[in-house]
Amino acid sequence: MTVSYVDPIPPIRKMLVSMINEKVYGNTFPSGAALPAVLIRTVGGTDYTRLQLLVRANDDITAMQILIKAMNLIIQNAASVALRGAWAEKETNPISATDEDTGKPEAWCYIRFEHLEA
């Protein structure tokens, strides 16, 4: 039996939207997105999915706090994502940065997301 690839972003986004108050986007921030905002996108992986979780806010502390909350929620609730055999762990500690395009503070990390459809 062959297992087909499934994009993990929609079910992860759906789970996270139900757990936090901030806007959650998949793959790209829309132009003019209200801050703070969370972004989930895939950035590689072989036989698993490497996610980048990124938060933009009006200050660096808020960006980091929201990132840590979202990261922990994804890791703690990976099994409830609508994918088979899902689990997650952080690959990097959160990193504070500044978005080059907007000049806004952001924080990001990588999460290893395992699921059978990877």
Side-chain angles (χ1 to χ4, degrees), residues 27-44:
N27 300 315
T28 60
F29 284 110
S31 178
L35 301 180
V38 178
L39 177 74
I40 307 164
R41 61 181 163 203
T42 57
V43 289

Side-chain angles (χ1 to χ4, degrees), residues 46-117:
T46 303
D47 298 330
Y48 71 97
T49 301
R50 177 174 291 119
L51 301 172
Q52 183 181 38
L53 185 61
L54 184 118
V55 175
R56 287 195 186 140
N58 290 315
D59 65 88
D60 59 337
I61 293 172
T62 300
M64 187 63 75
Q65 289 174 335
I66 294 169
L67 174 74
I68 291 169
K69 179 180 179 180
M71 176 187 71
N72 286 333
L73 287 169
I74 290 171
I75 292 168
Q76 293 165 359
N77 296 285
S80 68
V81 173
L83 294 168
R84 293 186 294 165
W87 67 269
E89 67 181 4
K90 70 180 173 80
E91 283 194 332
T92 63
N93 283 328
I95 298 167
S96 184
T98 301
D99 176 52
E100 293 179 8
D101 295 330
T102 64
K104 294 291 185 179
E106 63 184 19
W108 61 274
C109 68
Y110 290 138
I111 297 172
R112 181 184 182 103
F113 192 81
E114 299 270 356
H115 57 106
L116 293 178
E117 300 93 340

